[in-house]
mmCIF file of all heavy atoms in Angstrom:
data_model
loop_
_atom_site.group_PDB
_atom_site.id
_atom_site.type_symbol
_atom_site.label_atom_id
_atom_site.label_comp_id
_atom_site.label_asym_id
_atom_site.label_seq_id
_atom_site.Cartn_x
_atom_site.Cartn_y
_atom_site.Cartn_z
ATOM 1 N N VAL L 1 -83.631 48.119 31.676
ATOM 2 C CA VAL L 1 -84.831 48.436 32.371
ATOM 3 C C VAL L 1 -85.762 49.254 31.517
ATOM 4 O O VAL L 1 -86.935 48.955 31.427
ATOM 5 C CB VAL L 1 -84.460 49.073 33.692
ATOM 6 C CG1 VAL L 1 -85.694 49.673 34.366
ATOM 7 C CG2 VAL L 1 -83.717 48.060 34.653
ATOM 8 N N ARG L 2 -85.187 50.226 30.887
ATOM 9 C CA ARG L 2 -86.115 51.084 29.987
ATOM 10 C C ARG L 2 -86.702 50.324 28.913
ATOM 11 O O ARG L 2 -87.829 50.624 28.556
ATOM 12 C CB ARG L 2 -85.219 52.284 29.430
ATOM 13 C CG ARG L 2 -84.833 53.247 30.563
ATOM 14 C CD ARG L 2 -84.178 54.577 30.033
ATOM 15 N NE ARG L 2 -83.661 55.274 31.056
ATOM 16 C CZ ARG L 2 -84.387 56.171 31.783
ATOM 17 N NH1 ARG L 2 -85.693 56.327 31.521
ATOM 18 N NH2 ARG L 2 -83.776 56.974 32.724
ATOM 19 N N LEU L 3 -86.007 49.391 28.256
ATOM 20 C CA LEU L 3 -86.480 48.632 27.212
ATOM 21 C C LEU L 3 -87.645 47.676 27.722
ATOM 22 O O LEU L 3 -88.767 47.555 27.146
ATOM 23 C CB LEU L 3 -85.453 47.702 26.603
ATOM 24 C CG LEU L 3 -85.789 46.671 25.592
ATOM 25 C CD1 LEU L 3 -86.320 47.335 24.287
ATOM 26 C CD2 LEU L 3 -84.772 45.718 25.372
ATOM 27 N N ASN L 4 -87.556 47.242 28.897
ATOM 28 C CA ASN L 4 -88.469 46.327 29.515
ATOM 29 C C ASN L 4 -89.638 46.995 29.949
ATOM 30 O O ASN L 4 -90.775 46.433 30.230
ATOM 31 C CB ASN L 4 -87.853 45.514 30.582
ATOM 32 C CG ASN L 4 -87.114 44.356 30.004
ATOM 33 O OD1 ASN L 4 -87.646 43.578 29.280
ATOM 34 N ND2 ASN L 4 -85.872 44.190 30.458
ATOM 35 N N LEU L 5 -89.713 48.369 30.193
ATOM 36 C CA LEU L 5 -90.840 49.169 30.527
ATOM 37 C C LEU L 5 -91.891 49.094 29.386
ATOM 38 O O LEU L 5 -93.140 49.129 29.639
ATOM 39 C CB LEU L 5 -90.480 50.577 30.729
ATOM 40 C CG LEU L 5 -89.720 50.885 32.132
ATOM 41 C CD1 LEU L 5 -89.377 52.316 32.176
ATOM 42 C CD2 LEU L 5 -90.585 50.429 33.273
ATOM 43 N N VAL L 6 -91.442 48.826 28.189
ATOM 44 C CA VAL L 6 -92.309 48.636 27.047
ATOM 45 C C VAL L 6 -92.572 47.123 26.723
ATOM 46 O O VAL L 6 -93.617 46.804 26.464
ATOM 47 C CB VAL L 6 -91.736 49.365 25.812
ATOM 48 C CG1 VAL L 6 -92.503 49.114 24.497
ATOM 49 C CG2 VAL L 6 -91.600 50.905 26.051
ATOM 50 N N LEU L 7 -91.473 46.388 26.781
ATOM 51 C CA LEU L 7 -91.442 44.958 26.377
ATOM 52 C C LEU L 7 -92.302 44.141 27.353
ATOM 53 O O LEU L 7 -93.042 43.266 26.763
ATOM 54 C CB LEU L 7 -90.108 44.477 26.243
ATOM 55 C CG LEU L 7 -89.977 43.093 25.603
ATOM 56 C CD1 LEU L 7 -90.407 43.228 24.130
ATOM 57 C CD2 LEU L 7 -88.421 42.795 25.582
ATOM 58 N N VAL L 8 -92.170 44.348 28.581
ATOM 59 C CA VAL L 8 -92.886 43.423 29.534
ATOM 60 C C VAL L 8 -94.352 43.513 29.457
ATOM 61 O O VAL L 8 -95.015 42.497 29.361
ATOM 62 C CB VAL L 8 -92.316 43.701 31.045
ATOM 63 C CG1 VAL L 8 -93.326 43.051 32.042
ATOM 64 C CG2 VAL L 8 -90.971 43.221 31.100
ATOM 65 N N PRO L 9 -95.056 44.678 29.415
ATOM 66 C CA PRO L 9 -96.448 44.731 29.293
ATOM 67 C C PRO L 9 -96.927 44.235 27.851
ATOM 68 O O PRO L 9 -97.920 43.578 27.854
ATOM 69 C CB PRO L 9 -96.812 46.253 29.402
ATOM 70 C CG PRO L 9 -95.629 46.849 30.117
ATOM 71 C CD PRO L 9 -94.445 46.045 29.793
ATOM 72 N N ALA L 10 -96.190 44.451 26.846
ATOM 73 C CA ALA L 10 -96.514 43.930 25.515
ATOM 74 C C ALA L 10 -96.449 42.391 25.494
ATOM 75 O O ALA L 10 -97.333 41.753 25.046
ATOM 76 C CB ALA L 10 -95.542 44.490 24.463
ATOM 77 N N LEU L 11 -95.372 41.818 26.101
ATOM 78 C CA LEU L 11 -95.272 40.346 26.170
ATOM 79 C C LEU L 11 -96.444 39.787 27.091
ATOM 80 O O LEU L 11 -96.978 38.715 26.790
ATOM 81 C CB LEU L 11 -93.987 39.994 26.714
ATOM 82 C CG LEU L 11 -92.801 40.011 25.837
ATOM 83 C CD1 LEU L 11 -91.572 39.641 26.492
ATOM 84 C CD2 LEU L 11 -93.006 39.121 24.576
ATOM 85 N N ALA L 12 -96.729 40.435 28.186
ATOM 86 C CA ALA L 12 -97.772 39.853 29.077
ATOM 87 C C ALA L 12 -99.163 39.912 28.346
ATOM 88 O O ALA L 12 -99.907 38.976 28.495
ATOM 89 C CB ALA L 12 -97.869 40.830 30.380
ATOM 90 N N ILE L 13 -99.381 40.992 27.606
ATOM 91 C CA ILE L 13 -100.653 40.982 26.915
ATOM 92 C C ILE L 13 -100.671 39.986 25.686
ATOM 93 O O ILE L 13 -101.715 39.363 25.526
ATOM 94 C CB ILE L 13 -100.876 42.480 26.290
ATOM 95 C CG1 ILE L 13 -101.090 43.481 27.491
ATOM 96 C CG2 ILE L 13 -102.075 42.565 25.271
ATOM 97 C CD1 ILE L 13 -101.160 44.916 27.127
ATOM 98 N N ALA L 14 -99.630 39.862 25.106
ATOM 99 C CA ALA L 14 -99.492 38.892 24.010
ATOM 100 C C ALA L 14 -99.693 37.435 24.570
ATOM 101 O O ALA L 14 -100.477 36.593 23.936
ATOM 102 C CB ALA L 14 -98.171 38.932 23.212
ATOM 103 N N PHE L 15 -99.042 37.116 25.618
ATOM 104 C CA PHE L 15 -99.314 35.834 26.293
ATOM 105 C C PHE L 15 -100.605 35.654 26.745
ATOM 106 O O PHE L 15 -101.253 34.496 26.617
ATOM 107 C CB PHE L 15 -98.325 35.630 27.547
ATOM 108 C CG PHE L 15 -96.956 35.049 26.994
ATOM 109 C CD1 PHE L 15 -95.897 35.852 27.206
ATOM 110 C CD2 PHE L 15 -96.863 33.771 26.532
ATOM 111 C CE1 PHE L 15 -94.668 35.324 26.804
ATOM 112 C CE2 PHE L 15 -95.610 33.241 26.223
ATOM 113 C CZ PHE L 15 -94.507 34.001 26.350
ATOM 114 N N TYR L 16 -101.297 36.677 27.223
ATOM 115 C CA TYR L 16 -102.720 36.528 27.652
ATOM 116 C C TYR L 16 -103.737 36.270 26.452
ATOM 117 O O TYR L 16 -104.544 35.523 26.550
ATOM 118 C CB TYR L 16 -103.101 37.760 28.429
ATOM 119 C CG TYR L 16 -104.570 37.783 28.850
ATOM 120 C CD1 TYR L 16 -104.985 36.924 29.947
ATOM 121 C CD2 TYR L 16 -105.609 38.480 28.235
ATOM 122 C CE1 TYR L 16 -106.268 36.902 30.351
ATOM 123 C CE2 TYR L 16 -106.959 38.417 28.635
ATOM 124 C CZ TYR L 16 -107.247 37.716 29.651
ATOM 125 O OH TYR L 16 -108.527 37.608 30.127
ATOM 126 N N LEU L 17 -103.504 37.069 25.420
ATOM 127 C CA LEU L 17 -104.329 36.916 24.273
ATOM 128 C C LEU L 17 -104.197 35.758 23.502
ATOM 129 O O LEU L 17 -105.160 35.103 22.919
ATOM 130 C CB LEU L 17 -104.132 38.169 23.288
ATOM 131 C CG LEU L 17 -104.575 39.523 23.953
ATOM 132 C CD1 LEU L 17 -104.225 40.701 22.919
ATOM 133 C CD2 LEU L 17 -106.076 39.533 24.250
ATOM 134 N N PHE L 18 -102.884 35.209 23.398
ATOM 135 C CA PHE L 18 -102.622 34.172 22.479
ATOM 136 C C PHE L 18 -102.225 32.901 23.274
ATOM 137 O O PHE L 18 -101.490 31.994 22.692
ATOM 138 C CB PHE L 18 -101.543 34.512 21.437
ATOM 139 C CG PHE L 18 -101.912 35.639 20.619
ATOM 140 C CD1 PHE L 18 -101.170 36.876 20.685
ATOM 141 C CD2 PHE L 18 -102.828 35.571 19.690
ATOM 142 C CE1 PHE L 18 -101.463 37.856 19.862
ATOM 143 C CE2 PHE L 18 -103.137 36.541 18.842
ATOM 144 C CZ PHE L 18 -102.519 37.806 18.976
ATOM 145 N N ALA L 19 -102.656 32.750 24.461
ATOM 146 C CA ALA L 19 -102.151 31.599 25.335
ATOM 147 C C ALA L 19 -102.662 30.217 24.810
ATOM 148 O O ALA L 19 -101.857 29.246 24.844
ATOM 149 C CB ALA L 19 -102.833 31.788 26.799
ATOM 150 N N ASP L 20 -103.759 30.213 24.137
ATOM 151 C CA ASP L 20 -104.221 28.917 23.661
ATOM 152 C C ASP L 20 -103.583 28.546 22.353
ATOM 153 O O ASP L 20 -103.653 27.353 21.850
ATOM 154 C CB ASP L 20 -105.739 28.948 23.460
ATOM 155 C CG ASP L 20 -106.285 30.001 22.586
ATOM 156 O OD1 ASP L 20 -105.578 31.055 22.550
ATOM 157 O OD2 ASP L 20 -107.343 29.921 22.148
ATOM 158 N N ARG L 21 -102.954 29.471 21.646
ATOM 159 C CA ARG L 21 -102.295 29.157 20.367
ATOM 160 C C ARG L 21 -100.775 29.086 20.455
ATOM 161 O O ARG L 21 -100.207 28.678 19.390
ATOM 162 C CB ARG L 21 -102.655 30.321 19.396
ATOM 163 C CG ARG L 21 -104.146 30.378 19.100
ATOM 164 C CD ARG L 21 -104.436 31.452 17.996
ATOM 165 N NE ARG L 21 -105.741 31.884 18.284
ATOM 166 C CZ ARG L 21 -106.096 33.142 18.543
ATOM 167 N NH1 ARG L 21 -105.230 34.160 18.560
ATOM 168 N NH2 ARG L 21 -107.358 33.472 18.748
ATOM 169 N N LEU L 22 -100.172 29.455 21.584
ATOM 170 C CA LEU L 22 -98.760 29.294 21.689
ATOM 171 C C LEU L 22 -98.319 27.993 22.037
ATOM 172 O O LEU L 22 -99.032 27.206 22.770
ATOM 173 C CB LEU L 22 -98.282 30.193 22.861
ATOM 174 C CG LEU L 22 -98.415 31.769 22.575
ATOM 175 C CD1 LEU L 22 -98.053 32.535 23.785
ATOM 176 C CD2 LEU L 22 -97.552 32.112 21.350
ATOM 177 N N PRO L 23 -97.125 27.526 21.486
ATOM 178 C CA PRO L 23 -96.555 26.200 21.934
ATOM 179 C C PRO L 23 -96.350 26.215 23.393
ATOM 180 O O PRO L 23 -96.071 27.192 24.095
ATOM 181 C CB PRO L 23 -95.222 26.067 21.129
ATOM 182 C CG PRO L 23 -95.411 27.089 20.095
ATOM 183 C CD PRO L 23 -96.345 28.137 20.498
ATOM 184 N N LEU L 24 -96.523 25.027 24.033
ATOM 185 C CA LEU L 24 -96.345 24.891 25.421
ATOM 186 C C LEU L 24 -95.014 25.256 25.996
ATOM 187 O O LEU L 24 -94.926 25.866 27.080
ATOM 188 C CB LEU L 24 -96.671 23.492 25.842
ATOM 189 C CG LEU L 24 -96.884 23.208 27.367
ATOM 190 C CD1 LEU L 24 -97.903 24.101 28.039
ATOM 191 C CD2 LEU L 24 -97.064 21.742 27.598
ATOM 192 N N ILE L 25 -93.983 25.151 25.187
ATOM 193 C CA ILE L 25 -92.585 25.413 25.664
ATOM 194 C C ILE L 25 -92.477 26.862 25.813
ATOM 195 O O ILE L 25 -91.578 27.343 26.629
ATOM 196 C CB ILE L 25 -91.528 24.894 24.637
ATOM 197 C CG1 ILE L 25 -90.131 24.984 25.232
ATOM 198 C CG2 ILE L 25 -91.585 25.536 23.335
ATOM 199 C CD1 ILE L 25 -89.943 24.084 26.374
ATOM 200 N N LEU L 26 -93.227 27.748 25.153
ATOM 201 C CA LEU L 26 -93.075 29.238 25.257
ATOM 202 C C LEU L 26 -93.616 29.690 26.652
ATOM 203 O O LEU L 26 -93.191 30.789 27.077
ATOM 204 C CB LEU L 26 -93.689 29.966 24.159
ATOM 205 C CG LEU L 26 -93.034 29.805 22.815
ATOM 206 C CD1 LEU L 26 -93.775 30.613 21.709
ATOM 207 C CD2 LEU L 26 -91.645 30.311 22.849
ATOM 208 N N LEU L 27 -94.477 29.017 27.252
ATOM 209 C CA LEU L 27 -95.190 29.507 28.409
ATOM 210 C C LEU L 27 -94.103 29.547 29.607
ATOM 211 O O LEU L 27 -93.954 30.631 30.183
ATOM 212 C CB LEU L 27 -96.268 28.591 28.946
ATOM 213 C CG LEU L 27 -97.042 29.072 30.116
ATOM 214 C CD1 LEU L 27 -97.703 30.377 29.931
ATOM 215 C CD2 LEU L 27 -98.092 28.044 30.503
ATOM 216 N N PRO L 28 -93.329 28.456 29.984
ATOM 217 C CA PRO L 28 -92.330 28.666 31.061
ATOM 218 C C PRO L 28 -91.230 29.666 30.660
ATOM 219 O O PRO L 28 -90.740 30.342 31.558
ATOM 220 C CB PRO L 28 -91.838 27.320 31.294
ATOM 221 C CG PRO L 28 -92.314 26.426 30.146
ATOM 222 C CD PRO L 28 -93.509 27.145 29.543
ATOM 223 N N LEU L 29 -90.869 29.655 29.373
ATOM 224 C CA LEU L 29 -89.784 30.593 28.916
ATOM 225 C C LEU L 29 -90.257 32.137 29.130
ATOM 226 O O LEU L 29 -89.472 32.913 29.532
ATOM 227 C CB LEU L 29 -89.364 30.397 27.482
ATOM 228 C CG LEU L 29 -88.713 29.056 27.298
ATOM 229 C CD1 LEU L 29 -88.429 28.787 25.785
ATOM 230 C CD2 LEU L 29 -87.337 28.962 28.064
ATOM 231 N N GLY L 30 -91.480 32.268 28.639
ATOM 232 C CA GLY L 30 -92.077 33.632 28.746
ATOM 233 C C GLY L 30 -92.234 34.093 30.273
ATOM 234 O O GLY L 30 -91.949 35.212 30.597
ATOM 235 N N VAL L 31 -92.743 33.180 31.096
ATOM 236 C CA VAL L 31 -92.942 33.533 32.486
ATOM 237 C C VAL L 31 -91.724 33.742 33.198
ATOM 238 O O VAL L 31 -91.460 34.608 33.935
ATOM 239 C CB VAL L 31 -93.782 32.449 33.243
ATOM 240 C CG1 VAL L 31 -93.837 32.576 34.680
ATOM 241 C CG2 VAL L 31 -95.197 32.391 32.634
ATOM 242 N N GLY L 32 -90.626 32.869 32.817
ATOM 243 C CA GLY L 32 -89.268 33.057 33.409
ATOM 244 C C GLY L 32 -88.739 34.451 32.994
ATOM 245 O O GLY L 32 -88.094 35.148 33.897
ATOM 246 N N TYR L 33 -88.815 34.805 31.716
ATOM 247 C CA TYR L 33 -88.317 36.074 31.295
ATOM 248 C C TYR L 33 -88.925 37.302 31.924
ATOM 249 O O TYR L 33 -88.306 38.205 32.486
ATOM 250 C CB TYR L 33 -88.425 36.199 29.730
ATOM 251 C CG TYR L 33 -87.831 37.599 29.318
ATOM 252 C CD1 TYR L 33 -86.493 37.844 29.212
ATOM 253 C CD2 TYR L 33 -88.768 38.668 28.974
ATOM 254 C CE1 TYR L 33 -86.016 39.069 28.905
ATOM 255 C CE2 TYR L 33 -88.237 39.961 28.661
ATOM 256 C CZ TYR L 33 -86.933 40.136 28.530
ATOM 257 O OH TYR L 33 -86.453 41.339 28.222
ATOM 258 N N LEU L 34 -90.338 37.138 32.051
ATOM 259 C CA LEU L 34 -91.044 38.248 32.705
ATOM 260 C C LEU L 34 -90.676 38.316 34.193
ATOM 261 O O LEU L 34 -90.524 39.482 34.687
ATOM 262 C CB LEU L 34 -92.584 38.017 32.515
ATOM 263 C CG LEU L 34 -93.130 38.124 31.150
ATOM 264 C CD1 LEU L 34 -94.622 37.743 31.113
ATOM 265 C CD2 LEU L 34 -92.966 39.532 30.566
ATOM 266 N N THR L 35 -90.511 37.280 34.798
ATOM 267 C CA THR L 35 -90.091 37.300 36.368
ATOM 268 C C THR L 35 -88.729 37.809 36.466
ATOM 269 O O THR L 35 -88.434 38.660 37.299
ATOM 270 C CB THR L 35 -90.107 35.888 36.850
ATOM 271 O OG1 THR L 35 -91.424 35.355 36.661
ATOM 272 C CG2 THR L 35 -89.715 35.844 38.331
ATOM 273 N N PHE L 36 -87.757 37.428 35.609
ATOM 274 C CA PHE L 36 -86.378 38.000 35.486
ATOM 275 C C PHE L 36 -86.445 39.502 35.305
ATOM 276 O O PHE L 36 -85.749 40.272 36.114
ATOM 277 C CB PHE L 36 -85.541 37.232 34.502
ATOM 278 C CG PHE L 36 -84.205 37.904 34.422
ATOM 279 C CD1 PHE L 36 -83.196 37.601 35.331
ATOM 280 C CD2 PHE L 36 -83.859 38.593 33.319
ATOM 281 C CE1 PHE L 36 -81.991 38.127 35.163
ATOM 282 C CE2 PHE L 36 -82.589 39.103 33.088
ATOM 283 C CZ PHE L 36 -81.637 38.985 34.039
ATOM 284 N N ALA L 37 -87.055 39.908 34.385
ATOM 285 C CA ALA L 37 -87.138 41.383 33.918
ATOM 286 C C ALA L 37 -87.815 42.133 35.106
ATOM 287 O O ALA L 37 -87.241 43.296 35.436
ATOM 288 C CB ALA L 37 -87.947 41.605 32.703
ATOM 289 N N VAL L 38 -88.853 41.784 35.650
ATOM 290 C CA VAL L 38 -89.372 42.479 36.863
ATOM 291 C C VAL L 38 -88.569 42.530 37.970
ATOM 292 O O VAL L 38 -88.442 43.549 38.644
ATOM 293 C CB VAL L 38 -90.823 41.820 37.095
ATOM 294 C CG1 VAL L 38 -91.344 42.328 38.450
ATOM 295 C CG2 VAL L 38 -91.881 42.063 35.995
ATOM 296 N N LEU L 39 -87.889 41.434 38.254
ATOM 297 C CA LEU L 39 -87.052 41.433 39.534
ATOM 298 C C LEU L 39 -85.816 42.353 39.297
ATOM 299 O O LEU L 39 -85.373 43.093 40.160
ATOM 300 C CB LEU L 39 -86.524 39.997 39.791
ATOM 301 C CG LEU L 39 -87.634 39.169 40.426
ATOM 302 C CD1 LEU L 39 -87.089 37.700 40.635
ATOM 303 C CD2 LEU L 39 -88.229 39.716 41.756
ATOM 304 N N ILE L 40 -85.165 42.298 38.055
ATOM 305 C CA ILE L 40 -84.034 43.195 37.825
ATOM 306 C C ILE L 40 -84.440 44.709 37.763
ATOM 307 O O ILE L 40 -83.740 45.472 38.319
ATOM 308 C CB ILE L 40 -83.446 42.794 36.382
ATOM 309 C CG1 ILE L 40 -82.749 41.421 36.456
ATOM 310 C CG2 ILE L 40 -82.384 43.851 36.022
ATOM 311 C CD1 ILE L 40 -81.576 41.315 37.376
ATOM 312 N N SER L 41 -85.597 44.959 37.243
ATOM 313 C CA SER L 41 -86.116 46.310 37.161
ATOM 314 C C SER L 41 -86.448 46.822 38.658
ATOM 315 O O SER L 41 -86.092 47.892 38.937
ATOM 316 C CB SER L 41 -87.391 46.494 36.339
ATOM 317 O OG SER L 41 -87.140 46.015 34.982
ATOM 318 N N LEU L 42 -87.003 46.014 39.367
ATOM 319 C CA LEU L 42 -87.366 46.301 40.784
ATOM 320 C C LEU L 42 -86.016 46.576 41.568
ATOM 321 O O LEU L 42 -85.916 47.645 42.311
ATOM 322 C CB LEU L 42 -88.140 45.228 41.467
ATOM 323 C CG LEU L 42 -88.534 45.469 42.868
ATOM 324 C CD1 LEU L 42 -89.533 46.735 42.938
ATOM 325 C CD2 LEU L 42 -89.308 44.305 43.500
ATOM 326 N N ALA L 43 -85.101 45.776 41.451
ATOM 327 C CA ALA L 43 -83.758 45.948 42.202
ATOM 328 C C ALA L 43 -83.130 47.187 41.599
ATOM 329 O O ALA L 43 -82.579 47.986 42.492
ATOM 330 C CB ALA L 43 -82.882 44.718 41.875
ATOM 331 N N TRP L 44 -83.103 47.449 40.385
ATOM 332 C CA TRP L 44 -82.518 48.618 39.867
ATOM 333 C C TRP L 44 -83.249 49.932 40.371
ATOM 334 O O TRP L 44 -82.644 50.854 40.804
ATOM 335 C CB TRP L 44 -82.551 48.662 38.375
ATOM 336 C CG TRP L 44 -82.014 49.879 37.657
ATOM 337 C CD1 TRP L 44 -80.655 50.225 37.548
ATOM 338 C CD2 TRP L 44 -82.779 51.034 37.179
ATOM 339 N NE1 TRP L 44 -80.615 51.521 36.927
ATOM 340 C CE2 TRP L 44 -81.843 51.895 36.681
ATOM 341 C CE3 TRP L 44 -84.136 51.250 37.070
ATOM 342 C CZ2 TRP L 44 -82.218 53.157 36.038
ATOM 343 C CZ3 TRP L 44 -84.522 52.450 36.521
ATOM 344 C CH2 TRP L 44 -83.599 53.335 36.052
ATOM 345 N N GLY L 45 -84.497 49.871 40.422
ATOM 346 C CA GLY L 45 -85.299 51.073 40.887
ATOM 347 C C GLY L 45 -85.140 51.318 42.319
ATOM 348 O O GLY L 45 -84.975 52.459 42.721
ATOM 349 N N LEU L 46 -85.136 50.348 43.178
ATOM 350 C CA LEU L 46 -84.868 50.431 44.524
ATOM 351 C C LEU L 46 -83.466 50.936 44.825
ATOM 352 O O LEU L 46 -83.223 51.684 45.673
ATOM 353 C CB LEU L 46 -85.090 49.183 45.295
ATOM 354 C CG LEU L 46 -86.573 48.688 45.350
ATOM 355 C CD1 LEU L 46 -86.716 47.295 46.049
ATOM 356 C CD2 LEU L 46 -87.453 49.699 46.138
#
């Protein structure tokens, strides 16, 4: 969770900035990882 406090915003910004240059396969993988990390962090925090 502590690692993802830094990694999730960095990945979200990178995906936003480079969305048109990333291969299409990275989009669902990135969104899946971000969703997983947010849900695990939310469950841990609660």
Side-chain angles (χ1 to χ4, degrees):
V1 169
R2 291 186 189 276
L3 173 69
N4 280 309
L5 288 176
V6 174
L7 192 60
V8 166
L11 283 175
I13 290 170
F15 272 112
Y16 178 75
L17 292 176
F18 300 113
D20 54 339
R21 295 183 207 122
L22 292 173
L24 187 59
I25 190 68
L26 288 181
L27 183 63
L29 293 175
V31 170
Y33 178 77
L34 291 175
T35 303
F36 173 75
V38 167
L39 289 176
I40 293 294
S41 300
L42 181 64
W44 177 79
L46 290 175

